């Protein structure tokens, strides 16, 4: 008691509770006795900044993408629900999205060096118009990928009259390609020309009555298409071990054991060397090489 007012003394904080790790999900579980191939070993893994997408790279040069599915169940992102003190008891769930071949094995003829296709690092870039962008690199080459859904369109109707047998393969190729074909408007032919070549062509007298055009084009299922937009190569003498994209969403850096280069995402034939720790005499090289990079420079 102090002046008629109660004083609340805070209880001493106890030791922090240990983190409770639980198994949630697995991809690529092998069967009993199955031998794992070296090309299937995962060599790089990266979440995007939202946590909704996961990318993995393997020694075979493949990049596999996964996406979260539990965000649709509770109607919002996990981060927003945590801010609203919404109880989130369900573990994040991911499903397979797509995969593509990012790198192929190469051979450097100038240095007589084999360049393996193993993915060393993956970095997510800023999304735009529903498309996913990411950087992937092996020992020598960095690639900028765009993954986007494409709708498959098919022709469902044509302006043809089936009763006249036009457009169903009734027009055969000419046995005498040297004979010129006099044409009329809208794809028709004169009756005299049709009668004289009735043995060579199998279309009805009077020529083709109408021009064949698609009337209705419908969109069917969608498919994910990965397209390589840029290739950044021939800038590192040593093996690339790290890449990191800038917060300005326009530049990124790449590093090998002795040098760091600055790139623009839209320019693939030029980079700027910003760090070089290579000594004049390699025998004088001491200390640890450049291994880990995080680039957060504000424009």
């Amino acid at each position: 008691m102090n002046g008629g007012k109660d004083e609340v003394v805070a209880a001493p904080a106890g030791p922090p509770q240990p983190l409770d790790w639980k198994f949630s999900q697995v991809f690529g579980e092998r069967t009993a006795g199955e031998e794992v191939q070296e090309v299937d070993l995962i060599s790089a893994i990266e979440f995007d900044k939202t946590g909704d997408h996961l990318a993995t790279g393997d020694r075979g040069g493949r990049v596999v993408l996964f996406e979260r599915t539990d965000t649709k169940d509770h109607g919002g992102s996990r981060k927003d629900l945590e801010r609203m003190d919404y109880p989130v008891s369900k573990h994040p769930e991911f499903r397979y999205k797509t995969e593509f071949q990012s790198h192929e094995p190469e051979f450097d003829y100038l240095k007589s060096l084999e360049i393996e296709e193993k993915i060393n690092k993956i970095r997510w870039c800023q999304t735009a118009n529903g498309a996913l962008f990411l950087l992937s690199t092996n020992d020598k080459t960095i690639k900028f990928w765009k993954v986007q859904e494409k709708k498959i369109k098919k022709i469902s109707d044509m302006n043809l009259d089936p009763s006249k047998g036009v457009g169903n393969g009734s027009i055969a190729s000419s046995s005498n390609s040297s004979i010129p074909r006099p044409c009329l408007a809208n794809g028709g032919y004169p009756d005299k020309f049709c009668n004289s070549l009735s043995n060579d062509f199998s279309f009805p007298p009077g020529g083709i009555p109408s021009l064949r055009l698609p009337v209705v084009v419908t969109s069917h299922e969608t498919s994910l298409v990965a397209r390589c937009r840029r290739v950044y190569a021939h800038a590192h003498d040593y093996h690339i071990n790290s890449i990191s994209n800038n917060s300005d969403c326009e530049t990124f850096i790449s590093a090998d054991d002795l040098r760091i280069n600055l790139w623009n995402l839209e320019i693939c034939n030029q980079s700027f060397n910003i760090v070089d720790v290579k000594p004049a005499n390699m025998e004088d090289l001491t200390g640890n090489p450049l291994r880990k990079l995080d680039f957060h420079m504000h424009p």
Side-chain angles (χ1 to χ4, degrees):
M1 298 291 291
N2 185 6
K5 297 183 180 179
D6 296 335
E7 289 185 356
V8 179
V9 180
Q17 297 295 327
L19 294 176
D20 185 14
W21 295 93
K22 294 182 179 180
F23 175 78
S24 176
Q25 198 174 2
V26 64
F27 290 98
E29 187 174 7
R30 62 175 178 173
T31 59
E34 181 183 1
E35 184 179 355
V36 179
Q37 302 294 326
E38 186 178 358
V39 294
D40 295 329
L41 296 178
I42 295 176
S43 57
I45 186 169
E46 184 77 10
F47 281 94
D48 69 343
K49 65 178 183 179
T50 64
D52 294 335
H53 293 92
L54 171 66
T56 63
D58 58 23
R59 289 181 173 269
R62 297 183 300 266
V63 173
V64 183
L65 302 184
F66 300 90
E67 66 177 353
R68 282 192 51 183
T69 58
D70 59 309
T71 54
K72 300 177 182 179
D73 298 335
H74 47 64
S77 66
R78 191 180 186 91
K79 186 176 181 180
D80 294 337
L81 295 176
E82 289 175 351
R83 289 177 177 177
M84 295 185 298
D85 199 18
Y86 186 89
V88 182
S89 59
K90 192 174 182 180
H91 294 287
E93 293 182 359
F94 289 84
R95 70 176 179 183
Y96 170 85
K97 187 177 181 69
T98 187
E99 68 177 273
F100 56 90
Q101 188 71 32
S102 176
H103 287 72
E104 299 284 352
E106 303 175 12
F107 187 80
D108 190 343
Y109 292 95
L110 296 178
K111 298 182 179 180
S112 298
L113 178 65
E114 292 184 0
I115 304 173
E116 60 180 351
E117 64 272 27
K118 183 191 73 171
I119 305 298
N120 291 338
K121 290 292 180 179
I122 297 175
R123 288 290 183 267
W124 289 93
C125 300
Q126 182 68 29
T127 59
N129 299 325
L132 303 175
F133 296 88
L134 58 120
L135 292 165
S136 62
T137 181
N138 63 352
D139 289 338
K140 293 293 183 181
T141 305
I142 307 169
K143 293 186 178 182
F144 183 42
W145 291 92
K146 177 182 180 181
V147 182
Q148 189 176 27
E149 288 187 351
K150 294 289 186 180
K151 292 184 178 180
I152 301 176
K153 296 183 178 180
K154 295 182 180 180
I155 298 174
S156 61
D157 194 10
M158 299 280 289
N159 62 339
L160 299 177
D161 187 359
S163 62
K164 295 182 180 180
V166 180
N168 296 322
S170 60
I171 301 178
S173 60
S174 172
S175 61
N176 190 357
S177 59
S178 62
I179 301 177
R181 291 185 179 185
C183 299
L184 297 178
N186 202 20
Y189 293 91
D191 293 339
K192 181 178 179 181
F193 178 74
C194 295
N195 295 332
S196 63
L197 298 179
S198 60
N199 295 328
D200 296 330
F201 297 91
S202 59
F203 48 72
I208 303 175
S210 61
L211 183 64
R212 293 172 293 172
L213 290 175
V215 177
V216 179
V217 179
T218 58
S219 298
H220 291 260
E221 69 278 2
T222 60
S223 63
L224 284 169
V225 178
R227 184 170 63 91
C228 182
R229 297 193 60 193
R230 300 285 188 276
V231 178
Y232 315 92
H234 312 296
H236 286 275
D237 294 332
Y238 306 96
H239 291 177
I240 300 173
N241 54 53
S242 183
I243 54 176
S244 184
N245 46 345
N246 189 5
S247 57
D248 62 3
C249 302
E250 295 181 358
T251 57
F252 71 95
I253 57 176
S254 59
D256 55 34
D257 289 346
L258 300 177
R259 293 188 177 96
I260 300 177
N261 293 334
L262 174 66
W263 300 84
N264 188 295
L265 285 172
E266 300 299 326
I267 302 174
C268 58
N269 59 357
Q270 184 182 18
S271 64
F272 298 94
N273 180 250
I274 55 178
V275 174
D276 190 348
V277 296
K278 179 183 177 182
N281 187 359
M282 290 296 292
E283 295 180 356
D284 299 334
L285 183 62
T286 59
N288 296 325
L290 304 171
R291 287 295 184 185
K292 178 69 175 177
L293 290 179
D294 288 310
F295 195 31
H296 298 291
M297 184 183 71
H298 294 280

